[in-house]
Amino acid sequence: MGAQLRVYKRRIKSVTATKKITKAMEMIAASRIVKAQRQVAASTPYATELTRAVTAVATGSNTNHPLTTEAENPVRAAVLLITSDRGLAGGYSANAIKAAERLTERLRGEGKEVDAYIVGRKGVSYYGFRERTVTQSWTGFTDSPTYADAKKVADPLIAAVQKDSAEGGVDELHIVFTEFISMLTQTPVANRLLPLSLDAATSAATAAGAERSGTKGEILPLFDFEPSAEDVLDALLPRYVESRIYNALLQAAASKHAATRRAMKSATDNAGELIKSLTRLANAARQAEITQEISEIVGGSSALADATAGSDK
């Protein structure tokens, strides 16, 4: 019985140490969420205004720019998947991967080849384990991305869009990431970045302008373009892609920290419940050991009394 009690005590000590670690990780994730939320809030207005500018150029001119014009027969699409470099975040990376899988299946169902671009070690490991081809991958910055990281990701994607599909280029660019809605809700989303959908972009720009100005609607202004609308699009659209990817990286980082906080809180609570359960078992084992010792003492005392009585006769 003493050996069983020692086992319970070792397990309680081990779970208590784990509980301290998960509690510390929960607090660290909570502190990082605040910074990530601020970065998302700071990057969103820039991305919105850049979208408005690109939309204004595209709708205010008759230029058929390759980055805003639908291909007649699209045959290849690029999918950028944003996951995490580390685990301990519940189903955060798994949910994003599932969303990318659904998008890939839909694109292939439309007869398009899919080039995978992956951000985060979890996504790279998933594709590597299944021996799937990854066109390009990036790791090491998912917890705290910078604009330089976004530019590093965007450059090969923009180059692929600008190439002809016969030369290994792509006709469409999609991005899959986890959108940060609140501390409790993070949703994987799949958006098409290029070609820019002018109807959707115009609606979003109008809604953003109305929200900012407090009016029911806003008409995009008319512009004269120098040296030409095509040159302006050449300059604006790479910035548009970079800003959108940067915003997606920031939202994904905030979502990952929120998922980590939630997972670590659940782990801490479970460790507390396990400690209570093990403590009850240890107390029961101790009680049984004490009872057994008392029984042995009483039995030994009775035997000694009987032996003494027999010798007196």
Side-chain angles (χ1 to χ4, degrees):
M1 191 63 67
Q4 186 177 9
L5 182 60
R6 285 194 296 272
V7 169
Y8 286 137
K9 287 183 176 181
R10 282 198 299 268
R11 292 188 63 187
I12 290 172
K13 184 177 180 181
S14 175
V15 175
T16 300
T18 302
K19 182 180 178 181
K20 291 180 181 179
I21 295 173
T22 57
K23 183 64 176 179
M25 294 180 68
E26 176 190 349
M27 296 175 66
I28 291 172
S31 66
R32 288 178 176 175
I33 292 174
V34 177
K35 180 181 178 181
Q37 283 181 292
R38 290 174 182 170
Q39 289 179 319
V40 171
S43 69
T44 299
Y46 174 76
T48 301
E49 289 302 321
L50 195 53
T51 302
R52 283 167 48 81
V54 172
T55 304
V57 177
T59 57
S61 67
N62 296 323
T63 302
N64 291 325
H65 196 276
L67 300 184
T68 58
T69 304
E70 296 277 354
E72 293 183 2
N73 296 306
V75 296
R76 186 183 293 271
V79 175
L80 173 63
L81 169 62
I82 299 177
T83 62
S84 174
D85 284 323
R86 293 183 287 184
L88 301 177
Y92 163 77
S93 293
N95 292 334
I97 291 172
K98 289 178 182 178
E101 292 283 81
R102 291 192 295 268
L103 174 61
T104 300
E105 290 178 4
R106 179 173 64 81
L107 293 174
R108 287 176 177 165
E110 296 172 357
K112 302 170 186 174
E113 296 182 20
V114 177
D115 291 345
Y117 293 79
I118 312 296
V119 175
R121 291 189 178 92
K122 289 299 178 180
V124 173
S125 299
Y126 178 87
Y127 277 70
F129 180 77
R130 288 158 180 78
E131 297 182 350
R132 297 183 183 178
T133 301
V134 176
T135 304
Q136 195 163 345
S137 63
W138 302 267
T139 60
F141 55 80
T142 57
D143 282 353
S144 183
T146 63
Y147 195 88
D149 296 323
K151 189 177 188 308
K152 181 170 60 176
V153 174
D155 286 344
L157 291 169
I158 296 171
V161 173
Q162 290 175 333
K163 288 181 182 178
D164 187 13
S165 57
E167 301 175 352
V170 298
D171 301 307
E172 297 178 0
L173 170 58
H174 299 260
I175 182 171
V176 180
F177 66 99
T178 306
E179 182 180 12
F180 181 86
I181 298 174
S182 68
M183 294 288 288
L184 298 177
T185 306
Q186 302 86 41
T187 306
V189 295
N191 295 333
R192 192 182 78 170
L193 294 185
L194 296 175
L196 180 64
S197 177
L198 296 182
D199 292 337
T202 301
S203 300
T206 302
E211 182 179 356
R212 186 178 60 256
S213 62
T215 60
K216 294 183 179 180
E218 184 178 4
I219 300 175
L220 293 174
L222 297 177
F223 294 99
D224 290 329
F225 307 111
E226 292 291 344
S228 67
E230 185 173 0
D231 291 334
V232 174
L233 283 174
D234 286 338
L236 282 181
L237 277 168
R239 305 290 85 76
Y240 161 77
V241 174
E242 291 168 7
S243 67
R244 282 301 177 186
I245 291 177
Y246 181 50
N247 185 263
L249 287 171
L250 291 177
Q251 295 222 36
S255 298
K256 189 268 179 184
H257 295 317
T260 298
R261 178 184 176 275
R262 189 166 58 250
M264 291 301 100
K265 185 180 186 306
S266 177
T268 302
D269 294 341
N270 291 339
E273 292 299 322
L274 183 56
I275 289 173
K276 290 180 182 179
S277 177
L278 291 173
T279 300
R280 285 194 293 267
L281 292 173
N283 290 339
R286 186 184 301 109
Q287 185 70 32
E289 184 177 355
I290 293 172
T291 302
Q292 182 178 353
E293 289 178 355
I294 292 175
S295 299
E296 291 174 352
I297 292 172
V298 172
S301 177
S302 299
L304 182 60
D306 292 341
T308 302
S311 63
D312 291 339
K313 292 179 180 179

